Amino acid sequence: MVWRGHRLGLALSVALYCVVFAPFGVLAQPLGAQAPSGWDPYLNPLQPLPSVKSLQINREKAELGGFLFHDLRLSRDDTISCATCHPLNQGGVDQEAVSTGVGGRQGGVNAPTVLNSGLNFRQFWDGRARDLFEQAAGPVHNPVEMDTNWREVAAKLQRDAEVKQRFDKLYADGVTGANIQDAIAAFEKTLLTPSPFDRFMRGDPNALNADQKHGYALFISLGCASCHQGRNIGGNAFQKFGVFGDYLKERGGPITQADLGRYNVTGRERDRGRFKIPSLRNVALTPPYFHDGSVATLNEAVRIMAQYQLGRRISDQEITFIVAFLSALSGELPEPRR
């Protein structure tokens, strides 16, 4: 696997854990009350979620951002909002292989979840946006998504006296594209979904059942945590899709522009077929899977990951246990705004 910078140390620590400890059934213990400050990546590569309060987000900006996230006026023909492709009550995705934008136009990539996305080190599958602020501009300007621009969106919002008043209160320059991005980013940072696994990590041994605990042990011992670790259980590195085999070739069908992944951003050959590792939080709620939305079930996604990313053929029973663990990552979903 290709790792860069400080991630090399974390990858080596996970590999050491898997080789030395996991074969003997030694499973990292739940974290204490002071987690995540007590988190030790050498013993437990997964980390519990922070609290929203600890992130110190401006509440009024986040509330405005939540309103804008659901506002159809962000699209050219007033038919598409951020929530159209990222409904919060469905795990933050539309559960389609690719999303549909204005005029019925189809995108080329599976919509990633917006939940917990503020914990990602980059945004989009190819990592082209540095943060949520940059990401918020992408769909608005994309001709197959919202197909508009900030000038037109700001003009529509300016005509709404109540919305204009809210912007004027929070921003010295009122309704602008940058301020719309800032508010939406503030809202999206609040979309944390604490799960039973977080309670387990913080010391509640009864938060997971026996199958989920066994699946957690397999997740560690098989090496899944070499990529899916940290607070978001992923989302903090790039990785090639197909370390132990050419998945895209064996998948069949033409290689699309989206299949090139990070290469579309950097133009470097080594980035061909590399993608931002997705978070596994709420993964049981977000089919279909992978950047192309080509896999319908989580069981099949786990089998493919084991084969092509870890070089392992795992049994149906092992897959069942791992999926049980992944279900424990489904958290408390935010209420949809109106």
Side-chain angles (χ1 to χ4, degrees):
M1 297 183 179
V2 181
W3 293 82
R4 299 178 64 188
H6 70 278
R7 294 184 181 86
L8 176 61
L10 180 56
L12 292 175
S13 72
V14 172
L16 178 64
Y17 178 89
C18 295
V19 172
V20 177
F21 296 104
F24 298 96
V26 180
L27 179 62
Q29 297 299 309
L31 299 177
Q34 298 304 311
S37 61
W39 177 65
D40 185 348
Y42 288 89
L43 295 179
N44 201 325
L46 277 59
Q47 187 177 1
L49 282 177
S51 67
V52 173
K53 183 180 294 187
S54 71
L55 300 179
Q56 298 181 332
I57 300 165
N58 183 300
R59 181 178 60 83
E60 289 184 289
K61 287 184 178 181
E63 289 178 353
L64 175 58
F67 172 82
L68 295 169
F69 186 87
H70 293 84
D71 197 326
L72 298 172
R73 291 173 292 187
L74 267 64
S75 63
R76 177 180 55 78
D77 58 1
D78 298 345
T79 62
I80 304 292
S81 73
C82 304
T84 302
C85 299
H86 302 282
L88 303 182
N89 60 347
Q90 291 184 190
V93 299
D94 55 11
Q95 300 181 350
E96 300 290 340
V98 295
S99 299
T100 302
V102 296
R105 299 169 193 166
Q106 295 273 289
V109 69
N110 182 250
T113 181
V114 70
L115 302 180
N116 306 295
S117 58
L119 303 179
N120 292 333
F121 86 126
R122 306 281 296 192
Q123 303 297 327
F124 298 116
W125 282 99
D126 57 14
R128 64 186 180 274
R130 289 178 297 179
D131 51 31
L132 290 175
F133 178 86
E134 280 193 6
Q135 186 277 332
V140 171
H141 295 84
N142 191 321
V144 301
E145 295 185 57
M146 293 177 166
D147 190 29
T148 186
N149 57 69
W150 286 134
R151 180 181 58 79
E152 293 181 3
V153 171
K156 286 191 281 187
L157 295 178
Q158 283 275 11
R159 293 193 289 269
D160 186 322
E162 182 179 349
V163 172
K164 183 179 183 301
Q165 183 180 32
R166 293 177 72 176
F167 270 95
D168 289 342
K169 178 181 178 182
L170 294 169
Y171 299 99
D173 49 351
V175 184
T176 69
N179 294 341
I180 296 170
Q181 289 175 243
D182 183 68
I184 291 175
F187 168 67
E188 291 178 340
K189 289 175 184 177
T190 70
L191 300 178
L192 302 181
T193 59
S195 68
F197 183 68
D198 292 292
R199 298 198 300 272
F200 179 76
M201 291 284 279
R202 294 186 183 278
D204 179 0
N206 299 316
L208 303 187
N209 62 35
D211 286 355
Q212 291 168 335
K213 290 176 183 177
H214 188 58
Y216 174 34
L218 284 170
F219 185 88
I220 297 293
S221 65
L222 291 173
C224 307
S226 61
C227 288
H228 295 284
Q229 17 75 0
R231 297 182 300 177
N232 215 11
I233 315 181
N236 55 2
F238 295 110
Q239 182 56 282
K240 182 175 177 60
F241 193 177
V243 177
F244 294 92
D246 192 337
Y247 171 76
L248 294 176
K249 180 179 179 181
E250 295 173 22
R251 173 197 66 185
I255 300 298
T256 68
Q257 190 75 20
D259 288 332
L260 302 180
R262 183 72 177 154
Y263 176 85
N264 289 325
V265 179
T266 68
R268 297 180 300 201
E269 191 60 32
R270 68 184 183 185
D271 286 331
R272 186 181 295 271
R274 293 180 75 215
F275 299 89
K276 185 191 70 184
I277 298 166
S279 166
L280 293 184
R281 290 188 175 276
N282 303 295
V283 68
L285 308 177
T286 60
Y289 298 103
F290 307 148
H291 72 283
D292 55 2
S294 61
V295 174
T297 69
L298 186 53
N299 287 57
E300 179 64 6
V302 169
R303 184 194 66 77
I304 290 171
M305 285 288 100
Q307 178 180 346
Y308 287 95
Q309 302 306 110
L310 301 174
R312 296 174 179 267
R313 301 278 184 169
I314 60 177
S315 68
D316 289 345
Q317 186 177 41
E318 288 175 314
I319 291 174
T320 297
F321 282 126
I322 292 172
V323 169
F325 162 65
L326 295 176
S327 71
L329 303 178
S330 297
E332 302 167 16
L333 299 182
E335 289 292 328
R337 308 288 178 96
R338 291 287 182 261

